[in-house]
């Protein structure tokens, strides 16, 4: 019997949706003209589980594949994996209802399914697709996915996911229910960030639903701060979204998903990979949102390093002593890793914003990316020396 791994040492039977998909594609059954392989009573039982407590719907008990120990049955709270399977089963029952083919589609994560759904709705309404990176917060699919991603518990997550299922069914879009079950198991655990990152990276993937490259996938997208217009209508809302990422793990803030430009393969997006490039871009975007707040001119200023910015700050003579500025630059230069560097840069931003001094955010992003990269051990000392020279440069025009 086929078994599905649920953990490092536990292997269980294939899930009901996997068994149903395998049965559907069974050539022998098809040749016998057995009709739709999804028993109506099973799907009806699954739908009865919507909103019900796990384990309370009699018709669902034989459709569970997560086995309960005697101790778990006696416990006041069922195991997380069983609760997650109950949720996935109910969503599957709602999704599979009336469909002519299995909706369990291995490899099609929730973020990818929502991306395909959003593109489908744009086609149906003759709405031109938005360029990659444009703010999409007003789209109905984005609102539902964001609501799911910001759920405070499993019940709320399932509630918001449930609102997406009829839209997916209507557009004939499937979902990887095994992956969804894993995501539900990981919700509000140490792996929570991976789930959110995977949804966001899948949703913003420029590739098609099968991970195949599209013309947009091959383009190097300019960073958000390049060409940023502070007078644009949504500029304030965009900056607020970026500031919401301060101190948060890259990819875990849904409001920031549409602003990432990091190039990443679809396989890494599906897994919710946390790469150095993504971490550096996330930190740079968050710092830019803090730095740009309330300014009428873009603070992205090519050629201005943190050393140069500190020199200009001292030259403004706004009551900040040379010792204070040197101390701030010193903690920047002695940062051990990317996280510490971003932390110290954050404390510098309010001073630069008040003084109207910009920074080169392309340079900042590269510096964050390479600061403690073990493969580029020569970068950190070079940046330290360069920024220190910029600060002590005598020619004010240089």
């Amino acid at each position: 019997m086929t078994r599905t791994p649920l953990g490092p040492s536990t292997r269980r039977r294939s899930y009901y949706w996997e068994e149903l998909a395998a049965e559907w594609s069974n050539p022998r059954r098809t040749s016998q003209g057995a009709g739709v392989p999804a028993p109506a009573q099973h799907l009806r039982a699954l739908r009865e589980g919507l909103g019900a407590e796990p384990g309370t719907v009699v018709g669902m008990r034989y459709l569970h594949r997560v086995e309960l120990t005697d101790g778990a049955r006696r416990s006041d709270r069922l195991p997380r994996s069983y609760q997650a399977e109950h949720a996935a089963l109910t969503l599957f029952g709602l999704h599979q209802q009336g469909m002519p083919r299995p909706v369990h589609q291995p490899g099609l994560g929730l973020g990818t399914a929502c991306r395909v759904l959003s593109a489908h709705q744009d086609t149906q309404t003759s709405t031109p697709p938005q360029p990659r990176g444009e703010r999409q917060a007003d789209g109905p699919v984005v609102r539902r996915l964001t609501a799911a991603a910001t759920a405070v518990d499993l019940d709320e997550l399932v509630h918001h996911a449930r609102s997406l299922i009829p839209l997916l069914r209507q557009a004939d879009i499937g979902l990887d229910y095994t992956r969804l079950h894993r995501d539900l198991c990981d919700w509000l655990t140490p792996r929570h960030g991976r789930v959110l990152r995977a949804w966001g990276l899948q949703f913003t993937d420029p590739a098609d639903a099968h991970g195949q490259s599209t013309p947009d996938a091959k383009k190097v997208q300019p960073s958000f701060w390049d060409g940023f217009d502070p007078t644009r209508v949504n500029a304030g809302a965009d900056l607020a979204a970026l500031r919401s990422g301060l101190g948060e793990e890259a990819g875990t803030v849904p409001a920031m998903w549409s602003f990432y430009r990091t190039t990443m393969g679809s396989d890494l997006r599906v897994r919710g990979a946390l790469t150095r490039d993504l971490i550096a871009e996330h930190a740079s975007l968050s710092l830019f949102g803090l730095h740009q707040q309330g300014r009428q001119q873009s603070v992205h200023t090519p050629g201005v390093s943190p050393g140069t910015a500190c020199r200009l700050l001292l030259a403004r003579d706004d009551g900040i002593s040379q010792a204070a500025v040197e101390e701030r630059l010193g903690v920047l230069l002695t940062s051990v890793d990317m996280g510490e560097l971003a932390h110290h840069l954050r404390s510098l931003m309010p001073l630069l914003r008040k003084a109207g001094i910009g920074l080169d955010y392309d340079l900042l992003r590269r510096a964050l990316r390479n600061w403690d990269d073990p493969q580029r051990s020569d970068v950190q000392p070079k940046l330290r020396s360069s920024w220190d020279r910029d600060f002590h440069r005598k020619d004010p025009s240089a």
Side-chain angles (χ1 to χ4, degrees):
M1 179 179 295
T2 305
R3 295 179 179 269
T4 302
L6 284 181
S9 61
T10 304
R11 300 181 68 86
R12 301 185 184 276
R13 292 175 54 188
S14 296
Y15 297 111
Y16 175 70
W17 50 81
E18 293 174 331
E19 294 177 352
L20 187 60
E23 184 82 3
W24 207 298
S25 59
N26 188 331
R28 183 177 61 183
R29 185 180 181 94
T30 303
S31 65
Q32 292 174 349
V36 178
Q41 67 273 22
H42 287 180
L43 297 182
R44 184 167 56 251
L46 295 182
R47 293 194 299 275
E48 288 174 357
L50 290 166
E53 288 289 328
T56 62
V57 181
V58 176
M60 287 185 64
R61 291 176 183 172
Y62 298 102
L63 305 180
H64 276 278
R65 300 298 180 257
V66 174
E67 300 173 3
L68 293 178
T69 64
D70 291 339
R73 294 179 188 279
R74 291 192 299 268
S75 174
D76 292 336
R77 187 170 181 82
L78 293 168
R80 176 186 295 271
S81 58
Y82 190 88
Q83 295 181 61
E85 187 187 26
H86 171 88
L89 281 168
T90 59
L91 294 173
F92 173 75
L94 182 63
H95 197 171
Q96 187 64 67
Q97 181 184 9
M99 295 297 287
R101 64 188 182 93
V103 296
H104 169 57
Q105 297 293 316
L108 197 63
L110 183 62
T112 302
C114 287
R115 172 164 51 86
V116 177
L117 175 60
S118 184
H120 171 80
Q121 290 186 342
D122 288 343
T123 301
Q124 296 298 308
T125 59
S126 301
T127 301
Q130 293 176 290
R132 183 186 176 206
E134 288 296 316
R135 187 172 179 83
Q136 302 175 349
D138 294 331
V141 177
V142 179
R143 288 198 300 270
R144 287 176 168 83
L145 181 60
T146 299
T150 54
V152 298
D153 56 34
L154 184 60
D155 289 339
E156 185 182 350
L157 168 59
V158 174
H159 171 76
H160 292 303
R162 179 178 174 179
S163 70
L164 282 165
I165 298 302
L167 301 180
L168 294 173
R169 186 178 65 222
Q170 184 179 10
D172 193 22
I173 299 171
L175 192 62
D176 187 334
Y177 274 88
T178 303
R179 182 178 298 277
L180 180 62
H181 175 251
R182 186 182 68 188
D183 290 346
L184 296 175
C185 285
D186 290 345
W187 198 253
L188 300 182
T189 73
R191 296 180 293 277
H192 183 88
R194 178 202 63 80
V195 176
L196 293 177
R197 191 161 41 251
W199 290 357
L201 292 174
Q202 290 170 35
F203 186 74
T204 56
D205 191 351
D208 63 20
H210 305 289
Q212 300 300 312
S213 293
T214 63
D216 283 344
K218 299 178 181 179
K219 294 179 181 178
V220 177
Q221 302 289 333
S223 297
F224 174 75
W225 47 80
D226 288 319
F228 174 75
D229 181 5
T231 65
R232 190 165 47 84
V233 174
N234 290 329
D238 289 349
L239 294 176
L242 297 183
R243 291 194 299 274
S244 69
L246 288 166
E248 301 294 335
E249 188 177 77
T252 63
V253 181
M256 291 186 66
W257 286 346
S258 63
F259 300 111
Y260 293 132
R261 307 293 193 271
T262 296
T263 302
M264 188 184 299
S266 294
D267 56 334
L268 293 177
R269 291 175 179 270
V270 167
R271 299 203 306 267
L274 186 61
T275 65
R276 295 188 64 86
D277 288 317
L278 184 64
I279 297 172
E281 184 181 27
H282 174 90
S284 300
L285 284 168
S286 301
L287 292 170
F288 179 79
L290 179 62
H291 193 177
Q292 184 66 58
Q293 183 181 12
R295 303 299 304 179
Q296 297 304 308
Q297 300 293 326
S298 175
V299 297
H300 170 50
T301 311
V304 177
S305 71
T308 301
C310 285
R311 173 166 53 82
L312 295 174
L313 180 62
L314 188 61
R316 289 289 193 275
D317 194 21
D318 288 339
I320 303 176
S321 68
Q322 180 170 349
V325 175
E326 289 179 343
E327 182 180 357
R328 288 183 181 276
L329 180 61
V331 294
L332 278 179
L333 299 183
T334 55
S335 297
V336 175
D337 54 31
M338 183 197 310
E340 186 179 348
L341 178 61
H343 172 75
H344 292 310
L345 283 166
R346 178 176 177 177
S347 68
L348 183 63
M349 293 306 159
L351 300 178
L352 298 181
R353 182 179 66 223
K354 181 180 179 181
I357 299 171
L359 273 177
D360 187 333
Y361 274 85
D362 290 328
L363 180 154
L364 201 65
R365 177 181 176 178
R366 290 194 299 271
L368 287 164
R369 161 64 178 82
N370 299 322
W371 190 259
D372 58 337
D373 186 350
Q375 302 299 320
R376 302 183 182 184
S377 57
D378 61 321
V379 170
Q380 188 178 125
K382 287 181 179 179
L383 286 172
R384 284 174 170 167
S385 297
S386 175
W387 293 356
D388 186 58
R389 286 196 304 270
D390 290 342
F391 177 70
H392 292 96
R393 196 180 302 277
K394 299 299 184 182
D395 182 1
S397 65

